[in-house]
Amino acid sequence: MRVSTRLSVLLAAASTHVSAQETGKLGDAAEVSNNPVGVVYKATLPENAYFQGAYMDGGNIEGEVTATAEPDGKGVRFTVKLSNLPRSGGPFPYHLHVAPVPDDGNCTVTLAHLDPYVRGEATPCDKNAPETCQVGDLSGKHGAIPADTDTFEASYVDAYASTLEGLGSFFGNRSIVFHFPNKTRITCASFEKVEGGAELPGPGDDDDDGTASSTSSAPSGIVTPPPSSTQGGSGNGTATTAATSSVATGAANGLRAGAAGAAVIGGAAFAFLL
Ligand SMILES: *[C@@H]1O[C@H](CO)[C@@H](O)[C@H](O)[C@H]1NC(C)=O
Ligand SMILES: *[C@@H]1O[C@H](CO)[C@@H](O)[C@H](O)[C@H]1NC(C)=O
Ligand SMILES: *[C@@H]1O[C@H](CO)[C@@H](O)[C@H](O)[C@H]1NC(C)=O
Ligand SMILES: *[C@@H]1O[C@H](CO)[C@@H](O)[C@H](O)[C@H]1NC(C)=O
Ligand SMILES: [Cu+2]
């Protein structure tokens, strides 16, 4: 609630009351077609559960969630691999949450579900109309973790959650939270960039003129485009495929992927990628 209120203010949404609705105040979620290829995010669950009542003798759900753009940049593939699930109390919903997990592991601090279209959660997600669901409602769109199972593995593509920095649907700086059906937060983990993520030089921008050397600052340039600027889908497959096949290291891939993003924004840089 606190977050939706904040968002409402930030986005100048007029009303603060939450009414049942099937889509966001800002409309349906947009599919993202220019996620940077080759960049991988991973959330690894901690040793001990946040809700200790789930593991009286210590321990936690074990495992990780990885996320990376599909090869054409359209949508993000999530791979969920879990074991040591709670022996009772399922099925377990899980979501992308707005904020990362602090050092003390307090899952409450991750705030609410990632919901850039301000949909709220009063109405359950209809998985047949995933564009109307909260972007972060992964279990609503793709299914909860069933009860009475020790392990769970799933792999699916979500069209709305994004690995493109700057979008509201970007989750690379956020977290994932696993719940009991009564919403109690069992455990949570922040996403971290594990591939394609050579940490890029800080905020010192040089405006991208399409030269290779300037691409290291591309991510800061990517912080602006709204979802509609994805017409640069032209900066999509072609460029990133070329990048992945011609460059050996993940770090370099990250730079090239950044370059692709920059190309989307600054049309002038595009030729460089072809
Ligand atoms: C939520 O569910 C879990 C598992 O059934 C239970 O241990 C916990 O006490 C419940 N929390 C609340 C607030 O009802
Ligand atoms: C976790 O964070 C919430 C919100 O800031 C706070 O109310 C709560 O006391 C914290 N819990 C622990 C165990 O630190
Ligand atoms: C995460 O990144 C998005 C988009 O780049 C930004 O709008 C948001 O404020 C960031 N959130 C956090 C918690 O850093
Ligand atoms: C990628 O860009 C090319 C060239 O502009 C375009 O023809 C193609 O449809 C785009 N592909 C995707 C997946 O957006
Ligand atoms: Cu959640």
Side-chain angles (χ1 to χ4, degrees), residues 61-265:
I61 302 173
E62 291 163 18
E64 62 193 32
V65 176
T66 53
T68 190
E70 283 283 271
D72 61 1
K74 289 186 177 181
V76 170
R77 176 168 294 277
F78 287 85
T79 304
V80 183
K81 289 187 180 171
L82 304 173
S83 62
N84 200 40
L85 285 156
R87 274 179 296 246
S88 63
F92 308 101
Y94 63 100
H95 319 108
L96 303 172
H97 278 234
V98 168
V101 182
D103 288 343
D104 68 3
N106 188 335
C107 295
T108 302
V109 178
T110 64
L111 304 177
H113 303 167
L114 178 58
D115 186 19
Y117 296 89
V118 199
R119 175 196 189 275
E121 55 186 277
T123 310
C125 161
D126 173 1
K127 65 174 65 175
N128 296 315
E131 70 280 4
T132 66
C133 298
Q134 292 181 308
V135 168
D137 189 359
L138 295 182
S139 58
K141 289 183 279 187
H142 306 285
I145 300 160
D148 304 319
T149 174
D150 182 66
T151 62
F152 175 72
E153 294 198 8
S155 176
Y156 51 79
V157 175
D158 189 280
Y160 313 97
S162 178
T163 53
L164 182 62
E165 292 180 43
L167 299 183
S169 52
F170 175 67
F171 60 87
N173 58 354
R174 308 185 194 269
S175 60
I176 191 161
V177 179
F178 294 85
H179 300 261
F180 281 119
N182 63 11
K183 298 188 180 174
T184 290
R185 299 173 184 208
I186 302 169
T187 187
C188 57
S190 296
F191 283 95
E192 287 172 14
K193 201 189 270 186
V194 293
E195 262 179 59
E199 266 321 308
L200 297 154
D205 308 87
D206 42 321
D207 284 332
D208 195 317
D209 61 4
T211 64
S213 63
S214 69
T215 57
S216 59
S217 67
S220 51
I222 296 175
V223 177
T224 34
S228 58
S229 74
T230 53
Q231 44 86 5
S234 18
N236 60 22
T238 331
T240 46
T241 301
T244 42
S245 59
S246 66
V247 179
T249 70
N253 281 341
L255 294 179
R256 296 302 179 90
V264 170
I265 300 156

